Protein backbone atom coordinates (compact mmCIF):
# COMPACT_ATOMS: atom_id res chain seq x y z
CA UNK A 1 0.00 0.00 0.00
CA UNK A 2 1.10 3.54 -0.80
CA UNK A 3 -0.31 6.52 1.10
CA UNK A 4 0.01 9.56 -1.14
CA UNK A 5 0.22 12.79 0.86
CA UNK A 6 -0.04 16.42 -0.16
CA UNK A 7 2.93 18.64 0.69
CA UNK A 8 2.59 21.69 2.92
CA UNK A 9 3.33 25.36 2.35
CA UNK A 10 5.24 25.40 5.65
CA UNK A 11 8.56 23.61 5.79
CA UNK A 12 11.14 23.02 8.47
CA UNK A 13 14.20 25.22 8.05
CA UNK A 14 17.78 24.04 7.81
CA UNK A 15 18.93 20.47 7.52
CA UNK A 16 21.77 18.09 8.19
CA UNK A 17 21.94 16.38 4.80
CA UNK A 18 24.07 17.06 1.71
CA UNK A 19 23.05 19.57 -0.91
CA UNK A 20 20.32 18.67 -3.39
CA UNK A 21 21.23 16.06 -6.00
CA UNK A 22 18.23 15.63 -8.24
CA UNK A 23 19.62 12.48 -9.82
CA UNK A 24 19.63 10.78 -6.41
CA UNK A 25 15.91 11.26 -5.78
CA UNK A 26 13.46 8.42 -6.36
CA UNK A 27 11.45 8.31 -9.60
CA UNK A 28 14.32 9.33 -11.85
CA UNK A 29 11.87 9.71 -14.76
CA UNK A 30 10.88 13.03 -13.19
CA UNK A 31 14.39 14.51 -13.26
CA UNK A 32 13.90 16.67 -16.41
CA UNK A 33 10.98 18.64 -14.95
CA UNK A 34 12.61 18.80 -11.52
CA UNK A 35 15.76 20.25 -13.04
CA UNK A 36 13.88 22.84 -15.08
CA UNK A 37 11.76 23.98 -12.13
CA UNK A 38 14.68 24.23 -9.70
CA UNK A 39 16.64 26.30 -12.22
CA UNK A 40 13.57 28.48 -12.89
CA UNK A 41 13.04 29.17 -9.19
CA UNK A 42 16.69 30.05 -8.59
CA UNK A 43 16.62 32.45 -11.53
CA UNK A 44 13.26 33.94 -10.54
CA UNK A 45 14.54 34.62 -7.00
CA UNK A 46 16.77 37.33 -8.47
CA UNK A 47 13.66 39.45 -9.16
CA UNK A 48 11.79 39.73 -5.87
CA UNK A 49 8.82 41.59 -7.35
CA UNK A 50 8.25 38.98 -10.04
CA UNK A 51 8.85 36.19 -7.55
CA UNK A 52 6.29 37.53 -5.09
CA UNK A 53 3.70 37.71 -7.86
CA UNK A 54 4.40 34.23 -9.19
CA UNK A 55 4.40 32.56 -5.78
CA UNK A 56 1.67 34.64 -4.14
CA UNK A 57 3.95 36.12 -1.49
CA UNK A 58 4.03 39.43 0.36
CA UNK A 59 7.15 41.46 1.11
CA UNK A 60 7.11 40.05 4.65
CA UNK A 61 7.65 36.58 3.16
CA UNK A 62 10.89 37.34 1.34
CA UNK A 63 12.63 34.65 3.38
CA UNK A 64 10.76 32.17 1.16
CA UNK A 65 12.41 33.75 -1.87
CA UNK A 66 15.80 33.42 -0.17
CA UNK A 67 15.14 29.70 0.25
CA UNK A 68 14.51 29.32 -3.45
CA UNK A 69 17.68 31.26 -4.28
CA UNK A 70 19.68 28.67 -2.31
CA UNK A 71 18.14 25.51 -3.74
CA UNK A 72 21.45 24.35 -5.22
CA UNK A 73 23.47 24.95 -2.06
CA UNK A 74 21.16 24.51 0.95
CA UNK A 75 21.32 21.54 3.30
CA UNK A 76 18.62 18.90 2.98
CA UNK A 77 16.29 16.87 5.20
CA UNK A 78 14.31 13.72 4.41
CA UNK A 79 11.08 14.85 2.76
CA UNK A 80 8.90 13.44 5.53
CA UNK A 81 10.75 15.63 8.04
CA UNK A 82 10.87 18.70 5.81
CA UNK A 83 7.11 19.28 5.64
CA UNK A 84 5.28 20.70 8.66
CA UNK A 85 1.76 21.92 9.45
CA UNK A 86 -1.57 20.45 10.48
CA UNK A 87 -1.46 17.20 8.49
CA UNK A 88 2.14 16.45 9.37
CA UNK A 89 1.55 17.26 13.05
CA UNK A 90 -1.26 14.69 13.10
CA UNK A 91 0.90 12.18 11.24
CA UNK A 92 3.63 12.70 13.88
CA UNK A 93 6.14 10.57 12.01
CA UNK A 94 8.84 11.10 14.61
CA UNK A 95 6.91 9.20 17.27
CA UNK A 96 6.72 5.97 15.27
CA UNK A 97 9.21 3.30 16.28
CA UNK A 98 10.50 -0.05 15.07
CA UNK A 99 8.52 -1.88 12.41
CA UNK A 100 5.81 0.81 12.39
CA UNK A 101 8.42 3.43 11.46
CA UNK A 102 9.85 1.13 8.78
CA UNK A 103 6.40 0.55 7.27
CA UNK A 104 5.71 4.26 7.25
CA UNK A 105 9.00 4.92 5.49
CA UNK A 106 8.06 2.44 2.77
CA UNK A 107 4.42 3.48 2.38
CA UNK A 108 4.44 7.28 2.60
CA UNK A 109 4.87 9.20 -0.65
CA UNK A 110 4.49 12.96 -1.06
CA UNK A 111 3.20 14.86 -4.08
CA UNK A 112 5.19 18.04 -4.70
CA UNK A 113 4.86 20.96 -7.09
CA UNK A 114 8.66 21.15 -7.34
CA UNK A 115 9.71 17.49 -7.23
CA UNK A 116 6.60 15.72 -8.53
CA UNK A 117 6.75 12.69 -6.26
CA UNK A 118 8.97 12.02 -3.24
CA UNK A 119 9.61 8.99 -1.09
CA UNK A 120 9.71 9.67 2.64
CA UNK A 121 13.51 9.54 2.83
CA UNK A 122 14.29 11.59 -0.30
CA UNK A 123 16.56 14.46 0.84
CA UNK A 124 15.29 17.90 -0.17
CA UNK A 125 15.94 21.54 0.82
CA UNK A 126 13.28 23.96 1.99
CA UNK A 127 11.54 25.70 -0.92
CA UNK A 128 8.44 27.61 -1.93
CA UNK A 129 6.30 26.49 -4.86
CA UNK A 130 2.67 25.45 -4.75
CA UNK A 131 0.54 23.64 -7.29
CA UNK A 132 -1.25 26.90 -8.13
CA UNK A 133 1.92 28.93 -8.72
CA UNK A 134 2.46 30.31 -12.23
CA UNK A 135 6.05 30.91 -13.23
CA UNK A 136 6.42 33.74 -15.76
CA UNK A 137 6.99 32.62 -19.32
CA UNK A 138 6.45 28.96 -18.45
CA UNK A 139 3.54 26.57 -18.98
CA UNK A 140 1.25 25.87 -16.04
CA UNK A 141 2.69 23.35 -13.60
CA UNK A 142 0.02 20.79 -14.47
CA UNK A 143 1.00 20.99 -18.14
CA UNK A 144 4.64 20.38 -17.23
CA UNK A 145 4.02 17.57 -14.76
CA UNK A 146 1.23 15.43 -16.21
CA UNK A 147 3.11 13.87 -19.14
CA UNK A 148 5.81 12.54 -16.78
CA UNK A 149 4.02 12.19 -13.47
CA UNK A 150 0.91 10.31 -14.55
CA UNK A 151 2.84 7.35 -16.03
CA UNK A 152 4.92 7.14 -12.83
CA UNK A 153 1.78 7.10 -10.70
CA UNK A 154 0.16 4.50 -12.95
CA UNK A 155 3.23 2.27 -12.67
CA UNK A 156 3.17 2.63 -8.88
CA UNK A 157 -0.48 1.58 -8.81
CA UNK A 158 0.18 -1.56 -10.88
CA UNK A 159 1.65 -3.37 -7.90
CA UNK A 160 0.31 -1.52 -4.86
CA UNK A 161 -2.95 0.00 -3.70
CA UNK A 162 -2.67 3.80 -3.61
CA UNK A 163 -4.63 5.82 -1.05
CA UNK A 164 -4.65 9.37 -2.42
CA UNK A 165 -4.91 12.04 0.30
CA UNK A 166 -3.82 14.93 -1.94
CA UNK A 167 -5.87 18.10 -2.31
CA UNK A 168 -7.45 18.92 -5.66
CA UNK A 169 -4.70 21.26 -6.86
CA UNK A 170 -2.08 18.54 -6.38
CA UNK A 171 -4.27 15.85 -7.94
CA UNK A 172 -4.33 18.09 -11.03
CA UNK A 173 -0.55 17.72 -11.39
CA UNK A 174 -0.89 13.98 -11.88
CA UNK A 175 -4.18 12.10 -11.86
CA UNK A 176 -4.60 8.48 -10.83
CA UNK A 177 -7.97 7.00 -11.73
CA UNK A 178 -7.78 3.82 -9.66
CA UNK A 179 -6.67 5.34 -6.37
CA UNK A 180 -8.69 5.17 -3.16
CA UNK A 181 -9.88 8.72 -2.55
CA UNK A 182 -10.75 10.19 0.85
CA UNK A 183 -13.08 13.02 1.80
CA UNK A 184 -13.83 14.38 5.27
CA UNK A 185 -17.25 15.67 6.39
CA UNK A 186 -18.57 16.96 9.69
CA UNK A 187 -21.96 15.70 10.92
CA UNK A 188 -24.05 17.51 13.52
CA UNK A 189 -26.47 15.92 16.00
CA UNK A 190 -29.30 16.19 13.47
CA UNK A 191 -27.39 14.26 10.82
CA UNK A 192 -26.63 17.28 8.63
CA UNK A 193 -23.24 17.08 7.00
CA UNK A 194 -20.90 19.69 5.64
CA UNK A 195 -17.43 19.61 4.19
CA UNK A 196 -14.51 20.09 6.56
CA UNK A 197 -12.01 22.60 5.20
CA UNK A 198 -8.90 23.45 7.23
CA UNK A 199 -9.21 20.68 9.78
CA UNK A 200 -9.63 17.97 7.16
CA UNK A 201 -5.83 18.03 7.08
CA UNK A 202 -5.69 16.87 10.68
CA UNK A 203 -8.09 13.99 10.02
CA UNK A 204 -6.20 12.97 6.89
CA UNK A 205 -2.96 13.12 8.86
CA UNK A 206 -4.44 10.84 11.49
CA UNK A 207 -5.64 8.42 8.80
CA UNK A 208 -2.22 8.50 7.13
CA UNK A 209 -0.58 7.55 10.43
CA UNK A 210 -2.99 4.67 10.97
CA UNK A 211 -2.48 3.32 7.46
CA UNK A 212 1.28 3.85 7.39
CA UNK A 213 1.86 1.94 10.61
CA UNK A 214 -0.73 -0.83 10.14
CA UNK A 215 0.36 -4.46 9.86
CA UNK A 216 -2.45 -5.03 7.35
CA UNK A 217 -1.91 -4.85 3.60
CA UNK A 218 -5.30 -3.94 2.09
CA UNK A 219 -5.99 -4.58 -1.57
CA UNK A 220 -9.05 -2.35 -2.00
CA UNK A 221 -10.98 0.55 -0.47
CA UNK A 222 -12.90 -1.83 1.77
CA UNK A 223 -9.67 -3.00 3.35
CA UNK A 224 -8.58 0.59 3.94
CA UNK A 225 -11.93 1.36 5.59
CA UNK A 226 -11.55 -1.68 7.86
CA UNK A 227 -8.15 -0.48 9.10
CA UNK A 228 -9.57 2.97 9.82
CA UNK A 229 -12.61 1.57 11.63
CA UNK A 230 -10.43 -0.59 13.83
CA UNK A 231 -8.77 2.65 14.91
CA UNK A 232 -12.24 4.02 15.78
CA UNK A 233 -12.61 6.28 12.80
CA UNK A 234 -16.08 6.47 11.31
CA UNK A 235 -15.83 5.71 7.60
CA UNK A 236 -18.29 5.11 4.78
CA UNK A 237 -17.39 3.56 1.45
CA UNK A 238 -18.79 4.00 -2.04
CA UNK A 239 -16.62 2.24 -4.60
CA UNK A 240 -13.12 3.70 -4.38
CA UNK A 241 -14.35 6.73 -2.45
CA UNK A 242 -14.14 6.82 1.34
CA UNK A 243 -15.80 9.42 3.55
CA UNK A 244 -14.44 10.05 7.01
CA UNK A 245 -17.21 11.40 9.24
CA UNK A 246 -16.31 13.54 12.23
CA UNK A 247 -18.50 15.38 14.79
CA UNK A 248 -19.46 18.92 13.79
Amino acid sequence: MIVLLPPSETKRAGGDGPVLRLESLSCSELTPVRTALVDDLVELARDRTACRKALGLSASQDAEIDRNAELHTAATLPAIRRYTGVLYDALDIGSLRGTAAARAGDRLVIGSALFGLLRADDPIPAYRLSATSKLPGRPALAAQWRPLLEPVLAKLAETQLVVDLRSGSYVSLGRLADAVRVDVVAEDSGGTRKAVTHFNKAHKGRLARILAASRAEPDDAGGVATIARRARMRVERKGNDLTVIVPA
Side-chain angles (χ1 to χ4, degrees), residues 40-62:
D40 285 345
L41 286 182
V42 172
E43 178 64 26
L44 183 60
R46 297 179 182 180
D47 184 338
R48 290 184 179 269
T49 300
C51 198
R52 289 173 194 148
K53 181 178 180 181
L55 303 181
L57 302 174
S58 66
S60 65
Q61 295 175 293
D62 276 0

Side-chain angles (χ1 to χ4, degrees), residues 45-108:
R46 297 179 182 180
D47 184 338
R48 290 184 179 269
T49 300
C51 198
R52 289 173 194 148
K53 181 178 180 181
L55 303 181
L57 302 174
S58 66
S60 65
Q61 295 175 293
D62 276 0
E64 301 283 355
I65 299 175
D66 295 336
R67 286 180 169 184
N68 284 355
E70 298 169 356
L71 281 171
H72 289 301
T73 58
T76 58
L77 282 173
I80 200 64
R81 291 175 52 203
R82 177 63 72 188
Y83 296 101
T84 61
V86 175
L87 186 150
Y88 288 88
D89 288 345
L91 173 61
D92 194 14
I93 192 70
S95 68
L96 294 177
R97 297 289 183 269
T99 55
R103 288 190 200 100
D106 289 339
R107 288 176 174 174
L108 294 174

Side-chain angles (χ1 to χ4, degrees), residues 187-222:
E187 184 178 86
D188 64 21
S189 58
T192 299
R193 295 179 178 181
K194 62 179 181 180
V196 176
T197 53
H198 178 69
F199 287 105
N200 80 21
K201 296 178 182 179
H203 298 295
K204 286 186 175 181
R206 181 184 169 212
L207 177 61
R209 179 184 175 87
I210 291 164
L211 296 177
S214 174
R215 293 185 179 90
E217 193 66 63
D219 55 13
D220 61 14

Side-chain angles (χ1 to χ4, degrees), residues 122-195:
D122 278 333
I124 59 168
Y127 67 92
R128 182 61 177 250
L129 183 71
S130 68
T132 56
S133 299
K134 179 65 173 69
L135 302 184
R138 300 295 187 188
L141 290 175
Q144 296 185 62
W145 274 124
R146 280 181 187 168
L148 273 71
L149 186 54
E150 290 186 350
V152 170
L153 287 169
K155 185 177 179 180
L156 197 67
E158 286 178 358
T159 57
Q160 299 178 85
L161 181 70
V162 178
V163 181
D164 193 348
L165 301 182
R166 295 175 299 167
S167 57
S169 60
Y170 283 92
V171 170
S172 72
L173 300 184
R175 297 160 295 190
L176 183 58
D178 295 331
V180 176
R181 296 169 294 271
V182 178
D183 194 14
V184 182
V185 299
E187 184 178 86
D188 64 21
S189 58
T192 299
R193 295 179 178 181
K194 62 179 181 180

